[in-house]
């Protein structure tokens, strides 16, 4: 476990979600299909509103539509970003990766931290959760404005689109990015909801929890989490999937045959690379987040050529990875599908995709941070050992 990235080592309390290797993620005990069924939606038979998941993760209870509407309104009220935040982002080269700009923007927001102000005034530790809640809600509310500003700055000549107070959280985010197709609004609601949380051991969630355990405020903690999310082995994977799929099209065409696809997959593997979007550190079945996105595609874009290619990959890749014999989970994860959906509705800039992931992941990380402070969880300080210590331990164990 020490040499294997602590895989399977239980060492964190994470109230908001739990990941089962076979069943997938459960948010406060509810699976993704159950969330789609019980959480309020913007329209009949529509995707759940992300505000509903905010309520669920924070309280452990399924909200009513009236409660979700009230939360939507509260988040809109909180969604004010000071001008200095945009100036900080503008000081970063426009060529910088969107995640670099996003992390910079979050750090610039930190000067408004209610927790920092309260701590400096001497707040009692039993009350730490209150300013943490205020910071968390403010951060969740403001992130779509910062994220959309970065998108418009990089890709749309800086033509910023203001908030539409008639729209919910997910639809407003899509609107500020520049997408007003009702189907894209539905996709953004689904995307934000399913990417919010994935228990505490993944890099971004664990990083946020670790940094917050030092009583760093939610802005500092989430900025650190974003820097972990930006890694190729974590959130950057959703960018890599679409780029890889487009490389298949470039070499083989959109109407690629199953045999051509098999050859391309083997070519990728033999070059020492992985097939992005397949495999997971915990899951041992198809990721339910992949499945619900596939269902969305079957409903809204069944004839999209890249979706059809993704469907062929679902048939081709797992048997090849199984034959390879080195992969514990040959099944697709959440990243295998999201890029194709976004691409269909016009959000084609793959470098930006991890920012979308970051906006969503804030909901899970911040919800847990409130509970970290409410429960009075301590500074995280695991024990490390040297290679010499490990070697001695093994020798004693085998003596």
């Amino acid at each position: 476990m020490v040499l294997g990235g602590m895989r399977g080592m239980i060492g964190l309390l994470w109230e908001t979600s739990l990941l089962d290797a076979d069943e997938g993620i459960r948010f406060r005990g509810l699976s993704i299909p159950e969330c789609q069924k019980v959480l309020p939606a913007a329209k009949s038979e529509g995707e759940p509103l992300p505000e509903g998941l905010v309520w669920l993760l924070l309280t452990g209870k399924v909200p009513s539509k009236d409660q979700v509407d009230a939360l939507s309104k509260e988040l809109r009220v909180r969604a004010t970003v000071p001008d200095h935040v945009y100036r900080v982002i503008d000081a970063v080269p426009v060529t910088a990766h969107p995640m670099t700009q996003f992390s910079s923007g979050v750090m610039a927001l930190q000067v408004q931290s209610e927790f920092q102000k309260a701590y400096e005034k001497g707040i009692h530790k039993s009350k730490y959760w209150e300013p943490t809640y205020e910071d968390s809600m403010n951060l969740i509310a403001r992130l779509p404005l910062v994220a959309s500003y970065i998108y418009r700055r990089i890709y749309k000549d800086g033509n910023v689109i203001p908030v539409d107070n008639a729209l919910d959280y997910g639809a407003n985010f899509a609107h500020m990015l520049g997408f007003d197709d009702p189907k894209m609004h539905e996709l953004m609601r689904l995307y934000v909801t399913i990417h919010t949380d994935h228990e505490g051991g993944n890099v971004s969630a664990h990083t946020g929890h670790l940094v917050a355990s030092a009583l760093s405020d939610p802005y500092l903690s989430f900025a650190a989490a974003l820097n972990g999310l930006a890694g190729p082995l974590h959130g950057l994977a959703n960018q890599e999937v679409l780029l890889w799929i487009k490389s298949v099209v470039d070499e083989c065409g959109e109407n690629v045959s199953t045999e051509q696809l098999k050859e391309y997959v083997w070519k990728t593997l033999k070059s020492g690379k992985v097939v992005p979007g397949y495999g997971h550190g915990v899951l041992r079945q198809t990721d339910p987040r992949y499945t619900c996105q596939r269902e969305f595609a079957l409903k809204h874009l069944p004839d999209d050529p890249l979706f059809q290619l993704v469907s062929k990959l679902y048939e081709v890749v797992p048997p090849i990875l199984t034959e390879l014999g080195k992969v514990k989970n040959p099944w697709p994860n959440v990243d295998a599908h999201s890029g194709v959906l976004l691409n269909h509705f016009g959000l084609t800039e793959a470098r930006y995709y991890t920012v979308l992931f970051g906006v969503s992941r804030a909901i899970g990380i911040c919800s847990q941070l409130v509970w970290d402070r409410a429960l009075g969880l301590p500074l995280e300080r695991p024990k490390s050992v040297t290679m010499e210590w490990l070697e001695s331990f093994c020798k004693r164990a085998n003596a």
Side-chain angles (χ1 to χ4, degrees), residues 160-181:
V160 177
I161 299 172
V163 169
D164 183 342
N165 286 323
L167 296 175
D168 58 83
Y169 189 86
N172 222 335
F173 187 21
H175 164 72
M176 289 187 291
L177 290 171
F179 303 97
D180 286 315
D181 184 336

PDB file of all heavy atoms in Angstrom, residues 160-181:
ATOM      1  N   VAL A 160     -17.676  38.950 -22.941  1.00  0.00           N
ATOM      2  CA  VAL A 160     -18.265  38.309 -21.763  1.00  0.00           C
ATOM      3  C   VAL A 160     -19.791  38.404 -21.809  1.00  0.00           C
ATOM      4  O   VAL A 160     -20.352  39.428 -22.206  1.00  0.00           O
ATOM      5  CB  VAL A 160     -17.734  38.964 -20.471  1.00  0.00           C
ATOM      6  CG1 VAL A 160     -18.401  38.350 -19.237  1.00  0.00           C
ATOM      7  CG2 VAL A 160     -16.217  38.803 -20.393  1.00  0.00           C
ATOM      8  N   ILE A 161     -20.454  37.321 -21.396  1.00  0.00           N
ATOM      9  CA  ILE A 161     -21.917  37.254 -21.351  1.00  0.00           C
ATOM     10  C   ILE A 161     -22.356  37.328 -19.887  1.00  0.00           C
ATOM     11  O   ILE A 161     -21.901  36.526 -19.067  1.00  0.00           O
ATOM     12  CB  ILE A 161     -22.436  35.963 -21.997  1.00  0.00           C
ATOM     13  CG1 ILE A 161     -22.019  35.912 -23.474  1.00  0.00           C
ATOM     14  CG2 ILE A 161     -23.953  35.843 -21.858  1.00  0.00           C
ATOM     15  CD1 ILE A 161     -22.308  34.591 -24.149  1.00  0.00           C
ATOM     16  N   PRO A 162     -23.222  38.272 -19.526  1.00  0.00           N
ATOM     17  CA  PRO A 162     -23.622  38.414 -18.117  1.00  0.00           C
ATOM     18  C   PRO A 162     -24.571  37.318 -17.659  1.00  0.00           C
ATOM     19  O   PRO A 162     -25.141  36.577 -18.464  1.00  0.00           O
ATOM     20  CB  PRO A 162     -24.315  39.784 -18.094  1.00  0.00           C
ATOM     21  CG  PRO A 162     -24.819  39.972 -19.483  1.00  0.00           C
ATOM     22  CD  PRO A 162     -23.814  39.310 -20.387  1.00  0.00           C
ATOM     23  N   VAL A 163     -24.736  37.260 -16.346  1.00  0.00           N
ATOM     24  CA  VAL A 163     -25.667  36.321 -15.717  1.00  0.00           C
ATOM     25  C   VAL A 163     -27.091  36.595 -16.186  1.00  0.00           C
ATOM     26  O   VAL A 163     -27.480  37.743 -16.402  1.00  0.00           O
ATOM     27  CB  VAL A 163     -25.587  36.469 -14.179  1.00  0.00           C
ATOM     28  CG1 VAL A 163     -26.721  35.707 -13.490  1.00  0.00           C
ATOM     29  CG2 VAL A 163     -24.240  35.989 -13.668  1.00  0.00           C
ATOM     30  N   ASP A 164     -27.865  35.520 -16.355  1.00  0.00           N
ATOM     31  CA  ASP A 164     -29.300  35.630 -16.619  1.00  0.00           C
ATOM     32  C   ASP A 164     -30.023  35.164 -15.366  1.00  0.00           C
ATOM     33  O   ASP A 164     -30.028  33.972 -15.049  1.00  0.00           O
ATOM     34  CB  ASP A 164     -29.698  34.767 -17.829  1.00  0.00           C
ATOM     35  CG  ASP A 164     -31.175  34.903 -18.191  1.00  0.00           C
ATOM     36  OD1 ASP A 164     -31.960  35.363 -17.347  1.00  0.00           O
ATOM     37  OD2 ASP A 164     -31.537  34.519 -19.323  1.00  0.00           O
ATOM     38  N   ASN A 165     -30.601  36.075 -14.638  1.00  0.00           N
ATOM     39  CA  ASN A 165     -31.214  35.754 -13.349  1.00  0.00           C
ATOM     40  C   ASN A 165     -32.470  34.900 -13.460  1.00  0.00           C
ATOM     41  O   ASN A 165     -33.032  34.489 -12.444  1.00  0.00           O
ATOM     42  CB  ASN A 165     -31.517  37.033 -12.577  1.00  0.00           C
ATOM     43  CG  ASN A 165     -30.264  37.663 -12.007  1.00  0.00           C
ATOM     44  OD1 ASN A 165     -29.353  36.968 -11.572  1.00  0.00           O
ATOM     45  ND2 ASN A 165     -30.202  38.990 -12.019  1.00  0.00           N
ATOM     46  N   ALA A 166     -32.914  34.635 -14.679  1.00  0.00           N
ATOM     47  CA  ALA A 166     -34.078  33.767 -14.858  1.00  0.00           C
ATOM     48  C   ALA A 166     -33.674  32.293 -14.954  1.00  0.00           C
ATOM     49  O   ALA A 166     -34.542  31.419 -14.970  1.00  0.00           O
ATOM     50  CB  ALA A 166     -34.838  34.173 -16.115  1.00  0.00           C
ATOM     51  N   LEU A 167     -32.370  32.021 -15.005  1.00  0.00           N
ATOM     52  CA  LEU A 167     -31.900  30.656 -15.231  1.00  0.00           C
ATOM     53  C   LEU A 167     -31.357  30.024 -13.956  1.00  0.00           C
ATOM     54  O   LEU A 167     -30.878  30.721 -13.052  1.00  0.00           O
ATOM     55  CB  LEU A 167     -30.804  30.646 -16.302  1.00  0.00           C
ATOM     56  CG  LEU A 167     -31.220  31.077 -17.707  1.00  0.00           C
ATOM     57  CD1 LEU A 167     -30.004  31.145 -18.628  1.00  0.00           C
ATOM     58  CD2 LEU A 167     -32.274  30.124 -18.275  1.00  0.00           C
ATOM     59  N   ASP A 168     -31.398  28.700 -13.905  1.00  0.00           N
ATOM     60  CA  ASP A 168     -30.824  27.947 -12.794  1.00  0.00           C
ATOM     61  C   ASP A 168     -29.310  27.855 -12.955  1.00  0.00           C
ATOM     62  O   ASP A 168     -28.729  28.324 -13.941  1.00  0.00           O
ATOM     63  CB  ASP A 168     -31.451  26.552 -12.734  1.00  0.00           C
ATOM     64  CG  ASP A 168     -31.261  25.784 -14.033  1.00  0.00           C
ATOM     65  OD1 ASP A 168     -30.186  25.192 -14.218  1.00  0.00           O
ATOM     66  OD2 ASP A 168     -32.177  25.798 -14.882  1.00  0.00           O
ATOM     67  N   TYR A 169     -28.662  27.222 -11.995  1.00  0.00           N
ATOM     68  CA  TYR A 169     -27.196  27.175 -11.919  1.00  0.00           C
ATOM     69  C   TYR A 169     -26.553  26.587 -13.182  1.00  0.00           C
ATOM     70  O   TYR A 169     -25.683  27.213 -13.802  1.00  0.00           O
ATOM     71  CB  TYR A 169     -26.798  26.357 -10.689  1.00  0.00           C
ATOM     72  CG  TYR A 169     -25.333  26.378 -10.336  1.00  0.00           C
ATOM     73  CD1 TYR A 169     -24.811  27.385  -9.539  1.00  0.00           C
ATOM     74  CD2 TYR A 169     -24.480  25.362 -10.767  1.00  0.00           C
ATOM     75  CE1 TYR A 169     -23.458  27.394  -9.181  1.00  0.00           C
ATOM     76  CE2 TYR A 169     -23.130  25.371 -10.425  1.00  0.00           C
ATOM     77  CZ  TYR A 169     -22.630  26.386  -9.633  1.00  0.00           C
ATOM     78  OH  TYR A 169     -21.292  26.391  -9.286  1.00  0.00           O
ATOM     79  N   GLY A 170     -26.985  25.389 -13.561  1.00  0.00           N
ATOM     80  CA  GLY A 170     -26.385  24.735 -14.717  1.00  0.00           C
ATOM     81  C   GLY A 170     -26.686  25.451 -16.020  1.00  0.00           C
ATOM     82  O   GLY A 170     -25.799  25.644 -16.867  1.00  0.00           O
ATOM     83  N   ALA A 171     -27.932  25.868 -16.211  1.00  0.00           N
ATOM     84  CA  ALA A 171     -28.319  26.565 -17.432  1.00  0.00           C
ATOM     85  C   ALA A 171     -27.615  27.915 -17.534  1.00  0.00           C
ATOM     86  O   ALA A 171     -27.190  28.328 -18.619  1.00  0.00           O
ATOM     87  CB  ALA A 171     -29.837  26.760 -17.468  1.00  0.00           C
ATOM     88  N   ASN A 172     -27.463  28.585 -16.402  1.00  0.00           N
ATOM     89  CA  ASN A 172     -26.782  29.883 -16.401  1.00  0.00           C
ATOM     90  C   ASN A 172     -25.317  29.736 -16.776  1.00  0.00           C
ATOM     91  O   ASN A 172     -24.757  30.572 -17.506  1.00  0.00           O
ATOM     92  CB  ASN A 172     -26.894  30.534 -15.021  1.00  0.00           C
ATOM     93  CG  ASN A 172     -27.200  32.018 -15.117  1.00  0.00           C
ATOM     94  OD1 ASN A 172     -26.899  32.666 -16.106  1.00  0.00           O
ATOM     95  ND2 ASN A 172     -27.800  32.542 -14.075  1.00  0.00           N
ATOM     96  N   PHE A 173     -24.687  28.689 -16.292  1.00  0.00           N
ATOM     97  CA  PHE A 173     -23.293  28.429 -16.639  1.00  0.00           C
ATOM     98  C   PHE A 173     -23.166  28.239 -18.149  1.00  0.00           C
ATOM     99  O   PHE A 173     -22.310  28.858 -18.802  1.00  0.00           O
ATOM    100  CB  PHE A 173     -22.795  27.197 -15.876  1.00  0.00           C
ATOM    101  CG  PHE A 173     -21.332  26.918 -16.025  1.00  0.00           C
ATOM    102  CD1 PHE A 173     -20.433  27.896 -16.423  1.00  0.00           C
ATOM    103  CD2 PHE A 173     -20.830  25.663 -15.736  1.00  0.00           C
ATOM    104  CE1 PHE A 173     -19.072  27.635 -16.542  1.00  0.00           C
ATOM    105  CE2 PHE A 173     -19.481  25.371 -15.857  1.00  0.00           C
ATOM    106  CZ  PHE A 173     -18.598  26.369 -16.261  1.00  0.00           C
ATOM    107  N   ALA A 174     -24.037  27.411 -18.722  1.00  0.00           N
ATOM    108  CA  ALA A 174     -24.014  27.198 -20.171  1.00  0.00           C
ATOM    109  C   ALA A 174     -24.264  28.510 -20.908  1.00  0.00           C
ATOM    110  O   ALA A 174     -23.598  28.815 -21.908  1.00  0.00           O
ATOM    111  CB  ALA A 174     -25.060  26.155 -20.565  1.00  0.00           C
ATOM    112  N   HIS A 175     -25.218  29.290 -20.414  1.00  0.00           N
ATOM    113  CA  HIS A 175     -25.549  30.582 -21.042  1.00  0.00           C
ATOM    114  C   HIS A 175     -24.343  31.519 -21.043  1.00  0.00           C
ATOM    115  O   HIS A 175     -24.038  32.151 -22.060  1.00  0.00           O
ATOM    116  CB  HIS A 175     -26.719  31.217 -20.293  1.00  0.00           C
ATOM    117  CG  HIS A 175     -26.912  32.668 -20.580  1.00  0.00           C
ATOM    118  ND1 HIS A 175     -27.410  33.145 -21.783  1.00  0.00           N
ATOM    119  CD2 HIS A 175     -26.650  33.781 -19.818  1.00  0.00           C
ATOM    120  CE1 HIS A 175     -27.450  34.461 -21.754  1.00  0.00           C
ATOM    121  NE2 HIS A 175     -26.999  34.869 -20.585  1.00  0.00           N
ATOM    122  N   MET A 176     -23.647  31.621 -19.910  1.00  0.00           N
ATOM    123  CA  MET A 176     -22.503  32.533 -19.821  1.00  0.00           C
ATOM    124  C   MET A 176     -21.335  32.060 -20.678  1.00  0.00           C
ATOM    125  O   MET A 176     -20.509  32.877 -21.122  1.00  0.00           O
ATOM    126  CB  MET A 176     -22.068  32.698 -18.364  1.00  0.00           C
ATOM    127  CG  MET A 176     -23.050  33.504 -17.532  1.00  0.00           C
ATOM    128  SD  MET A 176     -22.444  33.870 -15.867  1.00  0.00           S
ATOM    129  CE  MET A 176     -22.462  32.239 -15.114  1.00  0.00           C
ATOM    130  N   LEU A 177     -21.263  30.766 -20.920  1.00  0.00           N
ATOM    131  CA  LEU A 177     -20.261  30.245 -21.854  1.00  0.00           C
ATOM    132  C   LEU A 177     -20.613  30.613 -23.292  1.00  0.00           C
ATOM    133  O   LEU A 177     -19.740  30.684 -24.156  1.00  0.00           O
ATOM    134  CB  LEU A 177     -20.158  28.723 -21.726  1.00  0.00           C
ATOM    135  CG  LEU A 177     -19.530  28.186 -20.433  1.00  0.00           C
ATOM    136  CD1 LEU A 177     -19.706  26.674 -20.350  1.00  0.00           C
ATOM    137  CD2 LEU A 177     -18.057  28.557 -20.335  1.00  0.00           C
ATOM    138  N   GLY A 178     -21.926  30.806 -23.538  1.00  0.00           N
ATOM    139  CA  GLY A 178     -22.377  31.179 -24.877  1.00  0.00           C
ATOM    140  C   GLY A 178     -23.265  30.168 -25.544  1.00  0.00           C
ATOM    141  O   GLY A 178     -23.453  30.205 -26.763  1.00  0.00           O
ATOM    142  N   PHE A 179     -23.865  29.257 -24.755  1.00  0.00           N
ATOM    143  CA  PHE A 179     -24.694  28.184 -25.312  1.00  0.00           C
ATOM    144  C   PHE A 179     -26.103  28.274 -24.745  1.00  0.00           C
ATOM    145  O   PHE A 179     -26.306  28.123 -23.539  1.00  0.00           O
ATOM    146  CB  PHE A 179     -24.073  26.821 -24.991  1.00  0.00           C
ATOM    147  CG  PHE A 179     -22.665  26.694 -25.490  1.00  0.00           C
ATOM    148  CD1 PHE A 179     -21.588  26.917 -24.638  1.00  0.00           C
ATOM    149  CD2 PHE A 179     -22.403  26.378 -26.819  1.00  0.00           C
ATOM    150  CE1 PHE A 179     -20.284  26.818 -25.097  1.00  0.00           C
ATOM    151  CE2 PHE A 179     -21.103  26.272 -27.287  1.00  0.00           C
ATOM    152  CZ  PHE A 179     -20.036  26.502 -26.422  1.00  0.00           C
ATOM    153  N   ASP A 180     -27.072  28.491 -25.634  1.00  0.00           N
ATOM    154  CA  ASP A 180     -28.456  28.653 -25.191  1.00  0.00           C
ATOM    155  C   ASP A 180     -29.404  27.610 -25.750  1.00  0.00           C
ATOM    156  O   ASP A 180     -30.626  27.748 -25.635  1.00  0.00           O
ATOM    157  CB  ASP A 180     -28.951  30.064 -25.535  1.00  0.00           C
ATOM    158  CG  ASP A 180     -28.357  31.116 -24.602  1.00  0.00           C
ATOM    159  OD1 ASP A 180     -28.338  30.876 -23.385  1.00  0.00           O
ATOM    160  OD2 ASP A 180     -27.882  32.156 -25.102  1.00  0.00           O
ATOM    161  N   ASP A 181     -28.863  26.554 -26.345  1.00  0.00           N
ATOM    162  CA  ASP A 181     -29.682  25.414 -26.756  1.00  0.00           C
ATOM    163  C   ASP A 181     -30.221  24.742 -25.487  1.00  0.00           C
ATOM    164  O   ASP A 181     -29.443  24.389 -24.590  1.00  0.00           O
ATOM    165  CB  ASP A 181     -28.812  24.430 -27.551  1.00  0.00           C
ATOM    166  CG  ASP A 181     -29.606  23.247 -28.100  1.00  0.00           C
ATOM    167  OD1 ASP A 181     -30.673  22.907 -27.538  1.00  0.00           O
ATOM    168  OD2 ASP A 181     -29.138  22.638 -29.079  1.00  0.00           O
TER     169      ASP A 181
END
